[in-house]
Amino acid sequence: MPRGRGWTLALAGLVVLAIACDGAAGAGPDPGSSATGGGAGVMAALGDSISNGFASCLAPVPCPRNSWSTGDGTRVDSHYRRLRKTDPRLRARNHARELARADALAAQARLAVQDGARYVTVLIGANDACRKSVEDMTPTATFRRQVDDGLAVLKNTQARVLVVSLPDIYRVWEVGHTSQVAVKAWSLGICPALLANPTSEAQADQARRRAFAARVDEYNAQLAAACKAYGPRCASDGGAAHRVAFSLDMLAAQDFFHPNGSGQNALAKATFAGEPTW
């Protein structure tokens, strides 16, 4: 087969996979849909690739139908699907974007305000931690300020906000560093601050991983504190997402980092606090 034709077919295949994940009927709440009726009306997800279901379908692309927060697919009993049982006219919008860090939260929050969202989930910080090195990670004080800036955008609305803790990313290394397949996937540059030299037992590498885990703990403490400072319309998950004990079969086979459908479902179950009436 001529090389040019092979690339054409390969690219066509990726397009089909991307459509299957992100654009097919029922693949997720319509990002451009509007809400009418009672109840919450609109809910919105803010954050990064964890919340947009990245790699949870057949390709390494966003798959919002599998989002723990706003997904409407059958594989994940998301917050959206749970709330729809009592509010069938609820609509959802997913503004989470891959590679987003805390400094993107304010812009995402402005979109949620434009939506008129009455329930907003926030899960942010994985990309602040997953930098080239520990030294490149977002300083904790900067992270807190950026989270505060994002939440401030929602302050004068009627939105109920759920701030979700970062999952235990260190556990990804714990469950995957003995898997040759996972190690090979990580070699493509996935979260190097944690996953570089994943099989090394050198003191420097062990210290780097411990420093990574400690910074995630700091981020989680500041997420909870920012929610408390926001006031009574914000609820923290109390570390529930961080306590989810991910196993290798709960991670996407494409990168052994992002939650697959099973992992997304575990996050949804752990973080759902019922009707957002706080």
Side-chain angles (χ1 to χ4, degrees), residues 118-141:
R118 301 294 296 275
Y119 175 50
V120 180
T121 66
V122 177
L123 198 176
I124 197 74
N127 291 311
D128 292 274
C130 285
R131 306 299 295 275
K132 290 183 179 180
S133 67
V134 170
E135 291 73 23
D136 291 326
M137 293 166 69
T138 303
T140 302

Side-chain angles (χ1 to χ4, degrees), residues 126-192:
N127 291 311
D128 292 274
C130 285
R131 306 299 295 275
K132 290 183 179 180
S133 67
V134 170
E135 291 73 23
D136 291 326
M137 293 166 69
T138 303
T140 302
T142 302
F143 177 79
R144 170 61 186 275
R145 184 178 70 251
Q146 292 168 346
V147 171
D148 283 340
D149 289 346
L151 293 180
V153 176
L154 303 170
K155 185 72 173 178
N156 293 324
T157 72
Q158 296 300 309
R160 266 56 178 178
V161 181
L162 177 68
V163 174
V164 174
S165 56
L166 278 169
D168 187 356
I169 308 173
Y170 180 81
R171 184 172 172 82
V172 172
W173 173 81
E174 286 184 315
V175 301
H177 74 280
T178 58
S179 165
Q180 292 183 355
V181 178
V183 168
K184 184 175 181 180
W186 297 342
S187 70
L188 298 177
I190 295 171
C191 198

Side-chain angles (χ1 to χ4, degrees), residues 43-87:
M43 69 167 289
L46 312 183
D48 54 35
S49 53
I50 298 175
S51 292
N52 72 16
F54 189 88
S56 64
C57 288
L58 299 176
V61 296
C63 186
R65 71 181 180 194
N66 284 341
S67 167
W68 65 271
S69 175
T70 60
D72 71 346
T74 58
R75 293 184 63 194
V76 178
D77 195 12
S78 67
H79 289 207
Y80 173 69
R81 291 187 67 209
R82 292 167 189 254
L83 292 170
R84 287 262 296 182
K85 294 173 184 176
T86 55
D87 184 8

